Amino acid sequence: DGGSIITARGICWNTLQTPTTLNSKTSDGTGTGTFISSITGLTPGAIYYIRAYAINGSGTAYGNQVTLVVPAQLPIVTTATATALSSTTASGGGNVTSDGGAAVSSRGICWSSASQTPTTADSKTSDGTGTGAFNSSMTALTPGTTYFVSAYAINSAGTAYGSAVTLTIPAALPTVTTNQVSNITATTATAGGNISNDGGSSITSHGVCWSTSQTPTISNSITSDGTGTGAFTSAVSGLSSGTTYYLRAYATNSAGTAYGIQQTFQSLAIAPILTTGAPSPVTYLSFSGGGTISSDGGSAVTARGICWNTSTAPIVSNNFTTDGTGTGIFSSTASALSPNTLYFVRAYATNAMGTSYGNEYTITLYLNVADQTVMDIDQNLYHTVKIGNQVWMVENLKVSRFNNGVAIPNIPDVKNWVIPGTGAYCWFNNDIATNFGYGALYNWWASSDARNVAPAGWHVPTDAEWTVLTNYLGGEPTAGSLLKEKGSTHWSAANVDGTNQSGFTGINGGSRFADGSFDLNGFYEFGVFWSSTEDTSDLAASRTLFSSKGSVSRASSSKLIGMYIRCVKD
């Protein structure tokens, strides 16, 4: 103790040599002898110089200096929140807030989907050295997978880890391929695909989609062929024949819908699809028809028309017309036919696949076909004839009353005949005994009266109905020959062209002029007939037959003229 009591003792230390009690120190009792000191607050990895000291009345004495190297500690590191950037990459990082007393030689993040405490033995990044914040990029991740991520820092003391954070990688689109299309027909095909990867999310639907436009999607026509991965087969239906289609396999998961490569195929063509239009008479030797081609079957229609025969199911090797090409509505006329013959009629259309036919109709071109007789209200009997789709009386009308029983005024005298507006009739030259067989002469008001001068179920023909008749018989220039009675029983000897081929048996009989006189000179030369059609307030449509020529003439005649009436069936 140097001869003086030791009042304090301990050790002192510093990072500089020859530390004194002015530096860090301990106080470890008094007196002489051995003592032990505990040093705290040291910095890991630092070098310290240490001396013991003792104090008595003479001052402070120091022992020899020793050197201490404090061992380094693990670094202190925190893990930053990880953020998913895509279905296979993510960003993360950390912050080394202390190097533990030894230089940080490596830092980064490590991750695992199997362990909640990943280490550098798992996947990792290397993001430099030293302390401070750092960023990391994670790659080659599996879509739809949950990972545990920790930051790490390495110094001489070892590897330190931050707390693990959780990261779930979003799912990716599935990986799907499209099979070649096979078993192609006009309306169906077989397709499919293979899903090799679900993208980290369950496949909720797969199949194929197709369209007549490229890059089809599930908003077009699709099949639904189950769920999950692997190969699948699809049955494609509802195709249009002869059409080019584009097809892709598809697979849907939570990330969306993925498509395979596009395949192109063409459905097989078929024969055209068509319907037959109802035929109608044009003349006694021809009829009009046609059809509608709703589909060319996927191959251009190169010929179309109608075909007919006297036996059922006519084909183009029988009689036929050629009426253009392509689809749509077309019209045809069959000619050089025979009257009173039953014909079977179908439309046809031809493409590269063959000829198809529409539904079948029948038609008969009636000419001079006797029909049932008819009796007027006066009990006069009339024979009738069917000409085309019309039925006409063979004799001129003789009735003296309207169909409701009201008498038609019989006006023999000239003075009252020329009074307009009232229906009237007479006999030619006022001689019923001689001329009854020719029928009565009527003014136009009698022919158009609403009380109907014709028998029940019959009427005075309109101008249009007269035109139908004459057109059916070949038109006004020639129809007269077919309408006139043959020979000179009634007509003059000039009637050399009257054939009565129609059965109408049109005869002469003259007329009564508008002034009330009778056309005596024209009695054997003309047959004049009213229609019920008014042309003007004074004139109405009529028809005239001539002994000297085979035509029919339409005229606008004074309503006062007395003419004959031929009735047509309703």
Side-chain angles (χ1 to χ4, degrees):
D1 60 5
S4 178
I5 296 172
I6 302 297
T7 58
R9 63 185 184 182
I11 60 173
C12 58
W13 66 92
N14 196 7
T15 56
L16 299 176
Q17 294 195 39
T18 63
T20 69
T21 55
L22 295 176
N23 301 125
S24 299
K25 66 178 182 178
T26 65
S27 294
D28 300 301
T30 59
T32 58
T34 301
F35 60 91
I36 295 175
S37 302
S38 295
I39 302 173
T40 62
L42 302 180
T43 300
I47 298 175
Y48 288 92
Y49 301 95
I50 305 171
R51 290 193 298 175
Y53 74 89
I55 300 174
N56 64 7
S58 295
T60 302
Y62 295 93
N64 56 300
Q65 178 177 279
V66 297
T67 302
L68 169 67
V69 178
V70 180
Q73 294 181 335
L74 292 176
I76 298 174
V77 60
T78 58
T79 307
T81 301
T83 304
L85 297 179
S86 73
S87 56
T88 58
T89 64
S91 64
N95 186 24
V96 182
T97 58
S98 172
D99 63 6
V104 172
S105 58
S106 179
R107 64 185 184 183
I109 58 173
C110 54
W111 63 91
S112 173
S113 61
S115 172
Q116 296 186 26
T117 55
T119 69
T120 54
D122 299 309
S123 300
K124 67 176 182 177
T125 66
S126 294
D127 301 300
T129 61
T131 58
F134 61 90
N135 295 316
S136 303
S137 294
M138 305 164 64
T139 59
L141 303 177
T142 301
T145 302
T146 297
Y147 289 93
F148 302 96
V149 183
S150 292
Y152 74 88
I154 301 173
N155 66 4
S156 59
T159 303
Y161 298 93
S163 299
V165 297
T166 302
L167 170 67
T168 300
I169 303 302
L173 291 176
T175 302
V176 57
T177 57
T178 307
N179 294 343
Q180 290 287 336
V181 183
S182 61
N183 301 324
I184 301 169
T185 71
T187 58
T188 63
T190 300
N194 183 43
I195 303 168
S196 58
N197 190 311
D198 65 5
S201 177
S202 297
I203 302 297
T204 56
S205 178
H206 63 219
V208 296
C209 55
W210 66 93
S211 175
T212 55
S213 299
Q214 296 202 40
T215 60
T217 68
I218 56 175
S219 63
N220 301 124
S221 300
I222 65 169
T223 64
S224 294
D225 302 301
T227 60
T229 58
F232 61 90
T233 300
S234 304
V236 178
S237 61
L239 303 176
S240 297
S241 57
T243 302
T244 297
Y245 287 96
Y246 303 94
L247 179 144
R248 295 193 294 177
Y250 75 88
T252 301
N253 67 4
S254 62
T257 300
Y259 298 92
I261 60 171
Q262 178 174 276
Q263 301 287 351
T264 304
F265 71 99
Q266 186 174 39
S267 57
L268 298 181
I270 60 174
I273 300 172
L274 73 161
T275 56
T276 306
S280 60
V282 175
T283 73
Y284 67 100
L285 299 175
S286 63
F287 65 81
S288 64
T292 301
I293 303 173
S294 57
S295 171
D296 63 6
S299 176
V301 173
T302 56
R304 65 186 187 183
I306 59 172
C307 55
W308 64 94
N309 201 10
T310 55
S311 57
T312 191
I315 58 177
V316 291
S317 62
N318 303 134
N319 307 290
F320 69 97
T321 64
T322 300
D323 301 296
T325 60
T327 59
I329 300 172
F330 65 91
S331 298
S332 302
T333 300
S335 57
L337 305 175
S338 298
N340 303 324
T341 301
L342 178 65
Y343 289 99
F344 298 87
V345 184
R346 294 195 296 179
Y348 77 88
T350 301
N351 66 5
M353 302 306 294
T355 299
S356 57
Y357 298 90
N359 49 307
E360 184 176 88
Y361 281 97
T362 60
I363 188 172
T364 300
L365 303 176
Y366 294 102
L367 184 72
N368 201 359
V369 177
D371 205 87
Q372 295 179 346
T373 57
V374 61
M375 190 172 290
D376 66 26
I377 195 170
D378 291 339
Q379 303 301 301
N380 296 308
L381 183 68
Y382 305 90
H383 297 87
T384 66
V385 63
K386 188 169 186 178
I387 306 172
N389 288 335
Q390 297 174 315
V391 178
W392 290 82
M393 287 183 177
V394 174
E395 297 90 9
N396 295 340
L397 193 66
K398 305 177 181 70
V399 72
S400 64
R401 290 182 292 168
F402 292 113
N403 205 34
N404 64 355
V406 176
I408 305 168
N410 184 351
I411 309 296
D413 61 288
V414 172
K415 178 180 178 181
N416 290 325
W417 181 261
V418 296
I419 298 174
T422 302
Y425 81 100
C426 66
W427 304 98
F428 185 81
N429 209 22
N430 292 321
D431 184 358
I432 186 174
T434 302
N435 299 314
F436 181 79
Y438 287 91
L441 292 167
Y442 300 87
N443 67 13
W444 180 80
W445 292 284
S447 70
S448 62
D449 195 290
R451 292 170 288 186
N452 195 8
V453 72
W458 292 72
H459 61 276
V460 177
T462 64
D463 185 44
E465 288 173 316
W466 272 110
T467 300
V468 169
L469 175 64
T470 55
N471 285 346
Y472 186 73
L473 299 177
E476 289 185 356
T478 59
S481 294
L482 283 70
L483 289 170
K484 290 190 296 181
E485 180 186 55
K486 187 175 183 179
S488 56
T489 301
H490 293 88
W491 292 95
S492 71
N495 183 39
V496 295
D497 59 357
T499 67
N500 199 27
Q501 191 173 350
S502 67
F504 184 81
T505 317
I507 61 174
N508 53 290
S511 64
R512 189 174 190 177
F513 291 131
D515 63 6
S517 63
F518 292 95
D519 182 12
L520 299 176
N521 293 328
F523 182 81
Y524 293 103
E525 304 297 328
F526 305 103
V528 289
F529 305 90
W530 276 124
S531 80
S532 62
T533 301
E534 182 180 45
D535 283 344
T536 70
S537 60
D538 298 320
L539 305 174
S542 64
R543 294 297 190 281
T544 302
L545 298 175
F546 307 89
S547 66
S548 60
K549 55 185 177 181
S551 63
V552 177
S553 175
R554 181 198 184 279
S556 288
S557 304
S558 170
K559 296 177 180 178
L560 288 166
I561 296 176
M563 297 188 186
Y564 297 103
I565 292 177
R566 281 293 180 98
C567 297
V568 66
K569 195 172 185 179
D570 292 350

